[in-house]
Amino acid sequence: MALLAVGVALVQLSSQQDDEEDSSDKETTTKRNYTLGLIGVLVACLCSGVGGAVMELLLKDSGMTLPQRNLQVAFVSLLLASAHMLSADRQQIAVSGFFQGYTPQVW
């Protein structure tokens, strides 16, 4: 979690330095809310910690092994991702197919 916070801080610092170099163009400068960014990082850390604790609790309380639990989580994720994909991009998938935009470099 600390690594996540350090990574976000480094990105913010490099963005701030880039903004200072490009300060001649005032129209493209956006106002940043650092408090909102900090809250976002803290929420991400909290979710990560709670997710890890829940996963450990599930593994200790059930008779399932780690690979079995991973397959269970993957199956639920696949169902949710497929439902979202079909609800958001149904027409584009019908026209161009599921593998649209894939190039030989991707494969």
Side-chain angles (χ1 to χ4, degrees), residues 40-99:
V41 169
L42 292 175
V43 168
C45 291
L46 180 69
C47 288
S48 175
V50 169
V54 168
M55 188 67 174
E56 184 176 348
L57 180 69
L58 288 173
L59 286 173
K60 286 183 178 179
D61 286 346
S62 71
M64 297 177 80
T65 64
L66 181 61
Q68 290 172 330
R69 181 65 68 179
N70 284 341
L71 286 173
Q72 183 183 27
V73 170
F75 180 71
V76 171
S77 299
L78 181 65
L79 289 177
L80 292 174
S82 297
H84 175 70
M85 175 190 65
L86 291 174
S87 68
D89 297 323
R90 179 180 305 223
Q91 291 178 342
Q92 187 67 28
I93 292 170
V95 171
S96 303
F98 179 77
F99 294 107

Side-chain angles (χ1 to χ4, degrees), residues 19-65:
D19 286 347
E20 289 173 0
E21 293 172 2
D22 297 335
S23 63
S24 61
D25 187 15
K26 298 288 183 189
E27 292 180 17
T28 59
T29 305
T30 58
K31 185 177 178 183
R32 292 198 174 98
N33 189 342
Y34 292 106
T35 305
L36 184 61
L38 180 62
I39 290 171
V41 169
L42 292 175
V43 168
C45 291
L46 180 69
C47 288
S48 175
V50 169
V54 168
M55 188 67 174
E56 184 176 348
L57 180 69
L58 288 173
L59 286 173
K60 286 183 178 179
D61 286 346
S62 71
M64 297 177 80
T65 64

Side-chain angles (χ1 to χ4, degrees), residues 99-107:
F99 294 107
Q100 61 184 329
Y102 282 73
T103 63
Q105 186 177 12
V106 172
W107 292 103

